[in-house]
Amino acid sequence: MTSDPRIGPIALPDTRARRVVERLLSGSGVTLNGDAPQDIRVLHPDFFSRILRQGSLGLGESYMEGWWECERIDQMATHMLLHGLGQHAHTPSERLMYRLQAGFLNLQSKTRAYMVGEVHYDLGNDLFERMLDDTMCYSCGYWKEADDLAGAQRAKLELACRKLDLKPGMKVLDIGCGWGSFAEHAARHHGVEVTGITISREQAALARERCAGLPVEILLQDYRDLDGLYDRIVSIGMFEHVGHRNYGTYFETVKRLLPEDGLFMLHTIGANRSEISADPWIHRYIFPNGVLPSAMHIARASEDHLLMEDWQNFGPDYDRTLMAWLANVDAHWHELAPRYNERTRRMFRYYLSVCAGAFRARHLQLWQVVFSKGRAGRYDAPR
């Protein structure tokens, strides 16, 4: 069954599953077949049983398949999370399965590290070029003084450069360089030499094109295989793919590549609680094998290797960033429709909207953490 915004919602079935879902939603501000932007319009009679059986996986898949509509999924997600429904998002079997997998397998091993590139980042540069802005930053912008997405992304890049105290001639490593946004900005505006690594072939190809003529080298490589010494190291939006079993190795690698007077800046989404879990829908369709670190995870994994100099949280800025990406997807989809089907469009709309709602509800954070190896003197972080 496919969705059409002109089609009205179905009559709600008189079933136990429907009554359970209504009871869960009671008091959340989200109603079934209501008129508010956050309300769910049900288009398939099996919607309720699927949600109870599959949790968040069923909610996301059923939206992709057109079983329900919502004018503002971001608002729906915010209302649900603030109401405490996040704890019901994963079924007991889903929680158990992920814990077993994460306990017995290294889901982010070298052999599995390229999976997220193949599933998500290699989907197509044309899609991301239209979703993002000219900087091609696929991470949270810094909206402190910005008026638009491109301005927020340039401000984020410049903030990272200032925190790293870049000087002309420095050698900089960018772990998880994406489409080369930081590498291009740092090389062009601060006169540094940048080595960027990514696990996405599509990203590497476009990054090399974007950085042509600059002292930038882009490598298709896993961070664990790196050698050399770099004056500064940065990692923006990559740590979410490292995995808890590899946190120690990650920080040990950074320490090995950093000189005694070096600086490292980590930019990552963070979780409020130290649970080893992943949303089943995000895990399957967007970021395979991804897991969000908590503040404790980062502190414990880094304490034997690096000295923490500064910690900044601007998580609410990701809400605004994601909504800007969603607006771009909606505005440019007619250009993408010949290559991507309706299921992909709905997948991206759901992904961006739900994540925006999670940041708005403060269930997710965005951290920039600066580390050193214990160099002399105080560190004053710019804001």
Side-chain angles (χ1 to χ4, degrees):
M1 183 175 187
T2 58
S3 167
D4 187 328
R6 297 167 297 180
I7 299 176
I10 65 168
L12 299 179
D14 184 17
T15 61
R16 176 183 174 276
R18 170 216 163 171
R19 289 189 290 273
V20 171
V21 171
E22 280 187 321
R23 187 165 63 249
L24 289 171
L25 290 175
S26 178
S28 69
V30 177
T31 61
L32 301 171
N33 291 351
D35 296 325
Q38 71 271 15
D39 289 340
I40 296 172
R41 295 192 299 121
V42 181
L43 305 177
H44 196 293
D46 294 334
F47 168 77
F48 303 101
S49 58
R50 185 172 186 177
I51 298 308
L52 294 184
R53 187 174 66 254
Q54 296 183 315
S56 66
L57 179 62
L59 185 66
E61 285 187 340
S62 62
Y63 179 75
M64 290 166 62
E65 295 166 18
W67 283 29
W68 58 277
E69 284 290 351
C70 178
E71 182 182 343
R72 292 290 301 271
I73 297 175
D74 57 305
Q75 293 184 15
M76 179 201 77
T78 302
H79 279 273
M80 288 182 171
L81 289 171
L82 291 176
H83 190 58
L85 290 177
Q87 59 186 322
H88 298 287
H90 304 176
T91 64
S93 60
E94 287 171 342
R95 292 179 184 274
L96 177 61
M97 181 58 68
Y98 190 85
R99 286 172 182 168
L100 287 174
Q101 287 180 327
F104 289 102
L105 300 174
N106 184 350
L107 298 179
Q108 299 82 17
S109 65
K110 282 187 184 182
T111 57
R112 299 173 63 92
Y114 290 81
M115 287 178 62
V116 67
E118 295 167 357
V119 170
H120 189 69
Y121 298 112
D122 287 348
L123 220 90
N125 285 337
D126 58 342
L127 192 159
F128 290 104
E129 283 174 320
R130 286 160 179 80
M131 186 179 90
L132 308 177
D133 63 283
D134 290 343
T135 67
M136 288 301 288
C137 286
Y138 193 17
S139 55
C140 182
Y142 191 52
W143 292 85
K144 183 179 179 181
E145 298 177 355
D147 297 319
D148 57 24
L149 178 62
Q153 295 294 12
R154 285 193 294 268
K156 181 267 300 294
L157 295 173
E158 186 59 23
L159 179 66
C161 291
R162 289 166 57 214
K163 286 183 176 180
L164 290 168
D165 191 24
L166 297 185
K167 305 295 184 194
M170 282 184 171
K171 293 180 60 180
V172 180
L173 172 66
D174 184 356
I175 302 177
C177 66
W179 289 278
S181 54
F182 176 86
E184 179 187 16
H185 182 91
R188 189 179 303 279
H189 298 288
H190 293 270
V192 297
E193 300 178 16
V194 185
T195 298
I197 65 166
T198 176
I199 44 77
S200 165
R201 297 182 185 279
E202 290 290 314
Q203 285 187 333
L206 185 56
R208 290 171 185 140
E209 180 182 323
R210 286 167 52 83
C211 296
L214 294 171
V216 173
E217 181 182 25
I218 304 296
L219 304 175
L220 190 68
Q221 189 170 350
D222 186 274
Y223 69 93
R224 285 161 284 206
D225 295 328
L226 285 165
D227 291 311
L229 206 60
Y230 300 87
D231 300 298
R232 301 289 189 264
I233 301 177
V234 67
S235 185
I236 299 176
M238 176 272 180
F239 195 68
E240 300 89 335
H241 304 303
V242 170
H244 71 287
R245 293 173 69 98
N246 305 302
Y247 290 158
T249 299
Y250 179 91
F251 283 105
E252 183 181 1
T253 300
V254 170
K255 179 183 179 180
R256 174 170 53 82
L257 300 172
L258 201 65
E260 293 304 312
D261 61 346
L263 289 173
F264 165 54
M265 196 204 79
L266 176 68
H267 173 119
T268 182
I269 298 172
N272 291 345
R273 299 181 60 83
S274 300
E275 297 177 348
I276 305 303
S277 64
D279 178 85
W281 187 85
I282 294 289
H283 178 64
R284 176 173 293 185
Y285 290 100
I286 307 298
F287 300 122
N289 307 320
V291 61
L292 300 182
S294 69
M296 186 183 73
H297 288 146
I298 294 173
R300 284 186 172 176
S302 64
E303 65 181 10
D304 289 336
H305 306 290
L306 299 169
L307 173 67
M308 191 180 299
E309 298 280 6
D310 181 67
W311 192 302
Q312 182 182 11
N313 183 356
F314 51 95
D317 284 17
Y318 225 144
D319 174 12
R320 197 168 174 182
T321 302
L322 286 154
M323 293 304 293
W325 290 343
L326 177 61
N328 284 344
V329 169
D330 287 342
H332 296 286
W333 191 260
H334 67 281
E335 303 169 31
L336 297 166
R339 181 177 174 192
Y340 301 92
N341 59 27
E342 177 66 5
R343 183 180 172 90
T344 301
R345 184 186 76 86
R346 293 177 71 87
M347 179 180 77
F348 267 81
R349 293 202 87 256
Y350 183 80
Y351 147 55
L352 297 171
S353 298
V354 167
C355 289
F359 280 100
R360 195 176 308 159
R362 300 311 303 274
H363 275 237
L364 296 176
Q365 312 305 323
L366 189 285
W367 298 320
Q368 282 193 350
V369 192
V370 178
F371 297 90
S372 75
K373 294 177 74 170
R375 65 181 195 166
R378 62 180 285 165
Y379 175 85
D380 293 310
R383 292 289 189 267

